[in-house]
Amino acid sequence: MINQQISWKQKASYLWPLPALAAIFGQRILAQNPAFTETYIARGLFPIISKPIAFLTSLVPFSMTEALNVIGYPVLLALLILFIIRLVRLPDRKTRVLRLLRRVAWTASILYLVFMLLHGFNYARLPVAESFSLPVRERSVAELNETADWLVEQANSLRALCEEDEQGVMALPQTPVRTIAGLSDTVDRAAQAYPLLSGASVRPKSVLLSHYWSYTGITGLYFPFFVESNVNTDIPDYQIPHTALHEIAHTRGFAREDEANFLAFLSGLADTRPEIAYSVVIDAATRSLGVIYGKDRDAWEVSASRFSDAVWRDMASSNAYWKQFEGPVREVSTTINDTYLKANLQDDGVQSYGRMLDLLLAWYDAARESGQLDSSIAALAGEVD
C-alpha cells in the first residue's frame, strides 16, 4: 500500500503542466466563444474571485506589488544560495534538484492558471464596442478632425480651471496619493450610466520607486494576483488620474488596453473635478491628433494650434520629463510588454493602445446625436467648484 502511494506521488509530480495547459487552451477556447466568456467568466466567475482579494489588498496602504518585487526577489535569491550551499554537502544532489525543479514547475503552472482566472481570460470577453453598443467603423479624416477639435476645446476649458505650479504647469490640488485613492469612486459614478463598469472597489497604490520605474516607460500596472492597481506617481501630474483610471478598469474585468483607455476616458468624464476630467480629455485629444498627424499634416497643424498656451506648457513639460528616461531599459520594457500582449490574443501588441480612438469616435457620434455634447465638460465641473 505504501509503495502504491509512493508510486502515485511520483506519477503525480510529472503532471505539473496540466494547470498551465488548462489556462492556455482555456483562453483559446473562450476566445472562440466571447458571449459565453462575457456572461460566465467576465461577469460571473471573475467578480466572485476578484472582489474578496481586492477588498483585502485595498486594506493595505502601500503597494503590495512593489513590496513583493523589492523584498521577494532578494529573499528568493537568498533561499537559492542556501539551497546550493546545502546541496554541496549532501550526497543525493540529483534527487533534491529534481524535486525542487518539480515544485517550481508546479508553482509556476498553478500561478499561470490563477493569472488567467484573474485577468487573462478577460481578454476573450466581448469587445467593449459590442457590449457598450458602440458601432465601430471606418472614419473619414473629417470626422476625426471634428472629434479632435471638440476634445481640444474641452481640454482648453478644463485646463483653465486647473491649478498650476510655479512653472505654469498643471498641478494636482492634492497629493498624487490622495488624488488616486478615491478614483475607484469615480468609476462607480460612471457605472451608474454604464453598469458594466461596476466591480470591486479598489485603492490604487502609489509606487514608492516611481522615479526609477519611469526608466521602463511604464505609468501603471495591474497585478492580477493582488487585484491591485499600481500607479507611477512621479510622472507629470496631468497624466496620473488617467493612468489610475486605466488600471482600475483592469480590476473591473477589462483586460484589453484600448478598452481600458477608453473606459478611463468615460470614467474621468463622470468626475466633477476639472483636473480629473482634464487628464482623460487631454489623453484622448493627443491620441486623436497623433492619428491625424499620420493622415493629414496640414489638418494636424490647424487642430494642434488650437491648444491653449497652458496646455502646450503641460505637454512640453511631459516631453522633457520622459526625455530623461530614454534608453535601453525602456526599449527592453516595450519589447516585453509587446510580447506579453501578443501572447494574450492582442495581435497588434503595444499598438493595441491606439485602438481606443475607434471607441472614442463611436462614443462621440452617439453623444452628439443624443445631445450630450451640448454642455461642455468644463461648465459642469465649474458648477460644482
Side-chain angles (χ1 to χ4, degrees):
M1 183 70 176
I2 294 177
N3 288 336
Q4 289 179 344
Q5 289 178 345
I6 293 174
S7 176
W8 166 245
K9 276 188 174 182
Q10 289 175 340
K11 291 178 180 178
S13 66
Y14 293 100
L15 298 178
W16 61 265
L18 292 183
L21 290 173
I24 294 170
F25 288 109
Q27 188 187 51
R28 269 58 183 175
I29 292 170
L30 290 173
Q32 301 302 315
N33 300 276
F36 175 90
T37 307
E38 180 73 27
T39 302
Y40 296 103
I41 303 297
R43 302 191 201 181
L45 182 61
F46 174 75
I48 293 173
I49 300 174
S50 65
K51 284 184 177 182
I53 300 173
F55 173 77
L56 292 174
T57 57
S58 291
L59 296 176
V60 180
F62 57 85
S63 169
M64 295 176 62
T65 305
E66 183 178 25
L68 179 66
N69 280 274
V70 172
I71 299 172
Y73 288 124
V75 169
L76 284 176
L77 180 60
L79 291 175
L80 179 60
I81 292 172
L82 288 174
F83 175 79
I84 294 173
I85 293 173
R86 289 185 59 194
L87 189 65
V88 173
R89 301 173 182 174
L90 297 172
D92 54 344
R93 299 170 192 165
K94 182 177 179 181
T95 301
R96 290 178 178 273
V97 170
L98 289 175
R99 187 185 304 158
L100 175 64
L101 291 176
R102 283 196 292 268
R103 288 175 179 172
V104 170
W106 265 109
T107 301
S109 186
I110 292 171
L111 286 176
Y112 187 60
L113 178 58
V114 173
F115 163 79
M116 282 294 180
L117 290 170
L118 289 171
H119 192 51
F121 287 155
N122 288 332
Y123 281 104
R125 72 184 297 177
L126 283 174
V128 161
E130 186 172 343
S131 57
F132 280 61
S133 300
L134 294 169
V136 171
R137 59 176 176 80
E138 287 291 329
R139 303 281 173 172
S140 66
V141 175
E143 289 176 299
L144 184 56
N145 287 339
E146 180 185 343
T147 305
D149 287 343
W150 181 81
L151 289 167
V152 169
E153 178 186 353
Q154 299 303 315
N156 290 340
S157 299
L158 287 164
R159 179 60 177 81
L161 297 173
C162 294
E163 296 185 11
E164 294 183 346
D165 62 15
E166 56 276 10
Q167 278 79 43
V169 176
M170 182 270 192
L172 293 170
Q174 295 181 309
T175 65
V177 174
R178 293 192 64 182
T179 298
I180 66 176
L183 287 180
S184 191
D185 294 337
T186 294
V187 182
D188 288 339
R189 282 194 290 274
Q192 295 175 14
Y194 306 98
L196 286 181
L197 274 174
S198 60
S201 181
V202 300
R203 177 196 293 195
K205 310 289 183 64
S206 170
V207 173
L208 292 177
L209 299 176
S210 287
H211 180 79
Y212 302 99
W213 195 15
S214 291
Y215 281 101
T216 67
I218 296 174
T219 59
L221 175 71
Y222 167 58
F223 192 65
F225 302 101
F226 296 152
V227 192
E228 186 175 65
S229 300
N230 296 274
V231 181
N232 181 336
T233 52
D234 188 64
I235 62 179
D237 276 13
Y238 80 88
Q239 296 176 342
I240 291 174
H242 175 270
T243 298
L245 291 170
H246 174 107
E247 301 308 326
I248 293 171
H250 286 320
T251 71
R252 301 294 173 101
F254 296 92
R256 301 183 189 105
E257 299 300 333
D258 57 316
E259 295 179 350
N261 276 330
F262 174 68
L263 296 176
F265 172 78
L266 286 187
S267 299
L269 296 188
D271 199 304
T272 54
R273 291 171 292 179
E275 65 272 13
I276 307 301
Y278 174 66
S279 181
V280 300
V281 169
I282 190 60
D283 177 84
T286 53
R287 290 180 189 276
S288 301
L289 289 174
V291 174
I292 292 174
Y293 185 85
K295 294 178 176 293
D296 188 334
R297 189 73 60 87
D298 292 335
W300 173 84
E301 289 182 356
V302 172
S303 294
S305 68
R306 295 193 174 112
F307 274 133
S308 67
D309 290 341
V311 173
W312 276 113
R313 287 197 300 272
D314 293 346
M315 292 191 291
S317 175
S318 175
N319 289 337
Y321 174 84
W322 287 109
K323 185 73 175 176
Q324 64 183 312
F325 298 106
E326 291 179 351
V329 174
R330 185 169 178 175
E331 293 172 5
V332 171
S333 174
T334 300
T335 301
I336 292 173
N337 193 25
D338 184 69
T339 302
Y340 160 78
L341 291 171
K342 288 178 178 176
N344 283 282
L345 311 178
Q346 306 303 289
D347 293 336
D348 44 2
V350 292
Q351 297 302 319
S352 65
Y353 288 83
R355 284 190 278 115
M356 173 263 195
L357 194 56
D358 294 332
L359 294 168
L360 177 65
L361 289 166
W363 171 85
Y364 178 83
D365 261 2
R368 180 184 55 185
E369 291 173 6
S370 63
Q372 293 180 30
L373 300 181
D374 293 342
S375 297
S376 74
I377 303 167
L380 295 175
E383 287 174 9
V384 175
D385 290 345

